[in-house]
Amino acid sequence: MAKHFAPAKGFQNNRKVAVITVALALTVAILLISGIGRAISDNILMPLFGSAPPAVTPMPDDRTNGRITLPRLDVYLLQLGSHTDAAPAAAEAKTIAQRGGAGYVLNQDSYRVIAAGYLTQAEAQSVADKQTDKEFSPSVYMLSSGSISFKLQCSKEQLDILLEACDYYPALVKDLMEESVLLDSCEITASQVRINYTYRLTAVEEIIAGLESLPYSPDEELIPRLLTVYRNARLQLNNISIKNSKEGLDFFSDIKYNYIEMIIAYRDMIENLS
């Protein structure tokens, strides 16, 4: 009679384990194909058995370390009078404005009555020396804004906007002063000046739009102060643009008064930021 041998107990156990393992593998494979399987795999299987962490792609960071500088602006003002009281200074300023000068009263140590501004001391002194009217006491008063620099971290685009804003304003003031001298000497007409101011107004509008697009924290001062001086400049340029209908000495006076206001605004901004 043939003998029948029962399988060893250990062999039966191994076979059961193998079957269970295969079943589990098939179940995991099916689950992984489905959305549920992926969720279980991500949240149960992988945390239990471990796996390599997924590769993390860093977010692009285009920030750069930069430095911006508000340049020094030195001007030489033709002063025709200096008073300890505001009233006589205002009266003298009115007389000067009627003659085509700025008629600007600068409260700096005393009430200084300013007729015009120049980029060099020699030019300002030359004009002062030609003043023969005994009613006035011509002299040259130097006004300096000083300069200030900032380190900052921002994108290349943001840095470019700030660099342009910092450089354009003092350059604009210098252009206005030089153009005023040309107008006084009849080398340029009032109509040409109005057109030039209109073009500059467009440039200032673009800079304002750029500054307004920049993010800044409530405790940050640079951008708000730049916006303030540029918005004031917009008003000054608009006053002299093609919208201005004044002629003769009134127009000459307005030009000088406006650029002196712009100079003072720039000086004050740098002092406040320092």
Side-chain angles (χ1 to χ4, degrees):
M1 178 181 294
K3 293 184 180 179
H4 297 279
F5 296 96
K9 188 175 181 181
F11 176 78
Q12 290 178 339
N13 291 338
N14 290 338
R15 185 169 62 181
K16 289 180 180 180
V17 170
V19 171
I20 293 172
T21 301
V22 172
L24 283 174
L26 289 174
T27 302
V28 170
I30 294 170
L31 289 174
L32 287 175
I33 296 173
S34 67
I36 297 175
R38 283 191 296 272
I40 293 175
S41 173
D42 291 341
N43 298 299
I44 299 176
L45 297 178
M46 288 185 180
L48 284 176
F49 298 105
S51 65
V56 177
T57 303
M59 294 297 291
D61 188 356
D62 63 348
R63 288 180 301 173
T64 182
N65 293 318
R67 176 182 288 274
I68 60 171
T69 299
L70 287 163
R72 181 187 183 98
L73 178 61
D74 293 338
V75 297
Y76 299 88
L77 302 176
L78 175 61
Q79 177 181 297
L80 295 185
S82 179
H83 304 270
T84 56
D85 296 321
E92 189 172 67
K94 183 177 180 180
T95 299
I96 292 171
Q98 291 171 345
R99 301 182 187 184
Y104 189 95
V105 178
L106 175 62
N107 187 1
Q108 189 83 16
D109 303 325
S110 63
Y111 294 96
R112 303 175 183 273
V113 184
I114 307 301
Y118 301 90
L119 295 180
T120 67
Q121 184 175 8
E123 187 177 15
Q125 190 62 56
S126 174
V127 177
D129 292 342
K130 293 176 183 177
Q131 298 296 317
T132 57
D133 196 325
K134 302 299 182 182
E135 183 180 356
F136 304 117
S137 302
S139 61
V140 175
Y141 178 72
M142 179 185 175
L143 185 67
S144 177
S145 69
S147 66
I148 187 170
S149 294
F150 296 88
K151 290 181 179 179
L152 69 166
Q153 189 179 68
C154 59
S155 71
K156 177 65 165 57
E157 181 181 2
Q158 292 169 342
L159 182 62
D160 289 344
I161 290 172
L162 285 170
L163 287 172
E164 182 181 15
C166 291
D167 290 340
Y168 184 73
Y169 192 97
L172 170 62
V173 171
K174 292 177 181 179
D175 285 345
L176 300 182
M177 293 172 65
E178 291 177 333
E179 189 173 78
S180 176
V181 173
L182 295 177
L183 182 63
D184 285 343
S185 60
C186 299
E187 296 180 53
I188 190 172
T189 67
S191 296
Q192 289 174 307
V193 170
R194 290 188 178 96
I195 292 172
N196 291 344
Y197 269 66
T198 303
Y199 286 131
R200 292 170 182 137
L201 182 58
T202 300
V204 166
E205 291 279 11
E206 292 175 354
I207 290 176
I208 291 174
L211 289 172
E212 288 176 340
S213 72
L214 298 178
Y216 60 91
S217 59
D219 60 342
E220 187 175 337
E221 292 190 74
L222 175 61
I223 295 174
R225 290 193 182 277
L226 278 172
L227 277 169
T228 297
V229 296
Y230 268 103
R231 286 167 179 161
N232 288 337
R234 176 170 58 190
L235 294 176
Q236 308 300 337
L237 294 173
N238 191 58
N239 288 340
I240 307 298
S241 68
I242 56 178
K243 297 179 181 180
N244 188 298
S245 59
K246 290 185 178 180
E247 299 290 343
L249 296 178
D250 286 345
F251 185 65
F252 284 46
S253 177
D254 277 359
I255 287 176
K256 297 181 180 72
Y257 191 95
N258 282 351
Y259 72 60
I260 291 175
E261 277 203 330
M262 291 174 65
I263 293 168
I264 301 301
Y266 185 75
R267 189 273 315 264
D268 290 348
M269 175 182 67
I270 291 182
E271 285 185 355
N272 289 327
L273 288 171
S274 297

